């Protein structure tokens, strides 16, 4: 995603999470969510894993996908510990 300029330097699991979210919610949605954008730019993977919902993903139909996204962010957080 071109708006996350350090995308190539992020762990693979974070790249997967961002691609999944970008595809389903839209890149514009992600970069317009100030909290989400700040967490990504600051590489706060553990906080991203702890979000109760992701931008445009509050509908229960996204529960399984949100769980997968959380697991990708958690993997990145665990890998840096």
């Amino acid at each position: 995603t071109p708006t996350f300029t350090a995308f190539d330097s992020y762990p693979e699991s974070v790249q997967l999470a961002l691609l999944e979210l970008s595809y389903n919610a839209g890149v514009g949605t992600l970069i317009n969510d100030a909290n989400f954008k700040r967490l990504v730019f600051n590489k706060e993977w553990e906080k991203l894993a702890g979000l109760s919902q992701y931008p445009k993903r509050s509908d229960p139909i996204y529960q399984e996908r949100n769980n997968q996204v959380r697991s990708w962010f958690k993997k990145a957080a665990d890998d840096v510990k």
Side-chain angles (χ1 to χ4, degrees):
T1 45
T3 54
F4 295 111
T5 55
F7 181 84
D8 290 339
S9 72
Y10 297 156
E12 183 179 335
S13 61
V14 171
Q15 291 179 10
L16 289 169
L18 291 175
L19 287 171
E20 202 282 340
L21 287 168
S22 296
Y23 179 79
N24 287 288
V27 175
T29 298
L30 300 182
I31 63 169
N32 288 322
D33 184 302
N35 183 53
F36 184 85
K37 184 177 173 181
R38 179 184 53 76
L39 292 173
V40 172
F41 283 150
N42 292 332
K43 299 181 180 181
E44 297 185 57
W45 313 136
E46 191 155 355
K47 288 183 180 179
L48 282 159
L51 291 177
S52 61
Q53 70 184 40
Y54 297 97
K56 275 194 166 176
R57 302 278 291 251
S58 59
D59 193 300
I61 64 169
Y62 289 114
Q63 183 176 359
E64 188 175 328
R65 286 182 172 170
N66 285 341
N67 289 340
Q68 179 60 64
V69 167
R70 276 187 201 93
S71 73
W72 283 326
F73 283 129
K74 180 157 180 14
K75 179 181 180 342
D78 290 346
D79 288 349
V80 297
K81 287 182 180 178

